[in-house]
Amino acid sequence: MCGIVGYIGNREAYPIIINGLKRLEYRGYDSAGIALYDGKTIQLCKTKGKVADLEANVEKEICKTGNLGIGHTRWATHGVPNDVNSHPHYSNSGDLVIIHNGIIENYTSIKKELINRGYTFSSDTDTEVLVNLIEDVKKKENVKLGKAVQIALNQVVGAYAIAIFDKNKPDEIVVAKLGSPLAIGIGDDEFFIASDASPFIEFTNNAIYLEDEEMAIIRKGRDIEIRKIKDDSIVAPYVQELQLNLEQIEKGGYDYFMLKEIYEQPSVIKDTFRGRLLADKGIIRLGGLEDYIEKFINADRIIIVACGTSWHAGLVAEYIFEDWARIPVEVEYASEFRYRNPVITEKDVVIAISQSGETADTLAAIKLAKEKGAFVYGICNVVGSTISRATHSGTYTHAGPEIGVASTKAFTTQITVLTMIALKLARVKGTISQSDYMLHLRELDIIPSKVAKALKKNDEIEEIAKVFKDATNFLYLGRGYNFPVALEGALKLKEISYIHAEGYPAAEMKHGPIALIDEQMPIVVIAVNSNHYDKVVSNIQEIKSRKGIIIAVVTEGDTVVRELADYIMEVPNTPETLSPLVTTIPLQLLSYHIALMLDRNVDQPRNLAKAVTVE
Ligand code: F6R
């Protein structure tokens, strides 16, 4: 994880680096640091804490001058978050300065070797080992920085996006990538480096995304030189035009990104199906799918790999794919899948779901599936992300940047894409009736207005949050399509409020969790109109007879559950198949308000990071 930023050009680097780090804080926020170079003196400042703490320290400790700079916001992997372990790190001579996102797996053996050769270390990090390895190679081989980086990285096992400069070369930064993302913004006579394009979006629309095992030597006033790390061969740069704009990465009047992103859902769901869903004409057109429909239809099974919230979207997809397209689906945690020696054949289609497109476990699962000959389809939000490039084909969710660490709009837009794919396949396969197909197209088309209506209940949900903010445990129950929503509701609550919460299929309650129920236990039950409505009502009765407190998500106009529940959160009537798109809204809002009332940082919950690029 971690976010890295760099600048080389004619402007002062400081404001670019600091603002860039603030935009990348979603990637990690336990410590931060910056190094600035004016050609004479390196100014380096780093601290435990957030970028705002770094800013305060910079004011006290260093000059903010230099046209070259690198900065880092960290999610600790090796060594506790403290000042010393924060990046940037110096080499022993003080000539080289590095920032690093990733993990060097064989750092212990390299460190031993370097210690034998007289190197000393002040931090516990793998990064300090890497910078000294580069220094050692540079001295031993008597080569320039770029060559030393290339040789050193060939000795390294792990993942990295690095930026490094040499005090003796004030016009040059060397960057390299394997596993972790790295974008280079190309300006007029200036270059920007970052983990994603957000730090430099107001300066340039042109960017190069380094591929794995590539490095770049970036010199002020010269063309970028991209090389393969393996053999030092030259690679022609591919400059992309960015589609991001500044507005998308700002809070737009909301106090928190999470709230902004919750409220964006009606419009981003529309963006997800814009030009793809032509409801009146009965057409679904997904560019990435058209050429591969046969692969899906003839697949023995679809295996969905993902993590966290994206995995929950995959669980919803299991219901819709099997229901409509009659293709067997398995949904796997990417982290387990890759280590299980899974049975995968060329007749399998693997769908990888990832908002960030950078999740290390999902990426590793994709690589494994490809090795075994499966066709791999990606559903990502971040355009140009590693997973979107590693898959054979795919569909972007077009939700726009999701900056709040807790995933919200990514979930609903992933489900939107998966719903379109399932409907399309069912149509081609003939496993859905014409009337059902048309009904769902029309219903999907009007989902944004239903999501907007669900959001209007915000004030009522805030009142419910006031009642339960001090609860120490929550249960979330749902059946069928809304079982994954129960899991997602529980995840949202625990990750931003730190209240323990469990999601369960409602019927499983009596196989264990029912023992937890007493008059203190709030139980959120998703009890909207569905084929299982009566069963859910029975589950609610079972809870009531054990004095549990029911907070029910119900369909507008519901009378039965309203009578039984202690609190209700209404959502518009929707076909059960599409109901996760609306039932998830009150659960997002409930978590948001509880977390806020507990004074939690809802955008940056403790210990988490947005893009999990470590295994
Ligand atoms: C939860 C959350 C995480 C992510 C998970 C996968 O709110 O954000 O559980 O869903 O880390 O991330 P992506 O989708 O980027 O692969």
Side-chain angles (χ1 to χ4, degrees), residues 275-285 424 437-438 441:
R276 295 164 164 174
L277 170 73
L278 308 172
D280 290 342
K281 295 191 176 137
I283 292 174
I284 289 175
R285 197 184 299 129
K424 174 95 190 181
Y437 175 75
M438 286 307 292
L441 256 55

Side-chain angles (χ1 to χ4, degrees), residues 205 241 268 331 336 340 384 462 487 510:
N205 276 326
E241 198 172 328
V268 295
V331 187
E336 286 299 315
R340 215 191 51 219
E462 189 174 357
L487 296 182
K510 52 190 168 300

Side-chain angles (χ1 to χ4, degrees), residues 307-310 353-359 362 387 402 405-407 414 488 491-492 495 609-612:
C307 301
T309 292
S310 298
I353 309 173
S354 174
Q355 185 287 129
S356 61
E358 302 296 343
T359 301
T362 310
I387 290 178
E402 190 181 65
V405 164
S407 208
Q414 286 164 349
E488 175 60 9
L491 176 62
K492 275 311 73 104
E495 70 182 327
K610 187 77 184 154
V612 186

Side-chain angles (χ1 to χ4, degrees), residues 258-434:
M258 183 180 178
L259 192 63
K260 176 189 175 221
E261 288 156 10
I262 289 173
Y263 272 89
E264 276 176 349
Q265 288 174 108
S267 67
V268 295
I269 291 174
K270 227 180 250 171
D271 290 342
T272 303
F273 60 62
R274 193 185 305 285
R276 295 164 164 174
L277 170 73
L278 308 172
D280 290 342
K281 295 191 176 137
I283 292 174
I284 289 175
R285 197 184 299 129
L286 293 164
L289 185 67
E290 299 299 323
D291 290 344
Y292 300 102
I293 287 184
E294 290 302 313
K295 278 208 183 287
F296 275 88
I297 286 174
N298 297 323
D300 279 351
R301 351 166 249 182
I302 293 174
I303 304 169
I304 297 179
V305 290
C307 301
T309 292
S310 298
W311 183 76
H312 295 156
L315 287 180
V316 174
E318 181 175 19
Y319 285 83
I320 45 184
F321 274 82
E322 293 200 339
D323 204 355
W324 291 334
R326 308 302 300 148
I327 304 172
V329 176
E330 286 169 24
V331 187
E332 304 266 1
Y333 282 119
S335 53
E336 286 299 315
F337 179 75
R338 55 181 299 203
Y339 288 116
R340 215 191 51 219
N341 191 15
V343 179
I344 316 167
T345 74
E346 284 151 24
K347 294 272 287 170
D348 292 325
V349 167
V350 171
I351 299 181
I353 309 173
S354 174
Q355 185 287 129
S356 61
E358 302 296 343
T359 301
D361 286 319
T362 310
L363 190 58
I366 291 168
K367 285 184 182 154
L368 179 69
K370 278 168 82 177
E371 271 163 33
K372 305 234 178 193
F375 172 73
V376 185
Y377 198 83
I379 296 176
C380 294
N381 188 38
V382 177
V383 176
S385 54
T386 309
I387 290 178
S388 69
R389 284 178 285 129
T391 43
H392 292 113
S393 185
T395 303
Y396 283 118
T397 48
H398 292 319
E402 190 181 65
I403 293 167
V405 164
S407 208
T408 52
K409 62 177 180 171
F411 181 63
T412 44
T413 52
Q414 286 164 349
I415 293 175
T416 304
V417 166
L418 289 157
T419 302
M420 285 191 287
I421 295 175
L423 281 169
K424 174 95 190 181
L425 296 179
R427 182 82 183 118
V428 177
K429 253 187 109 178
T431 45
I432 191 169
S433 69
Q434 169 74 4

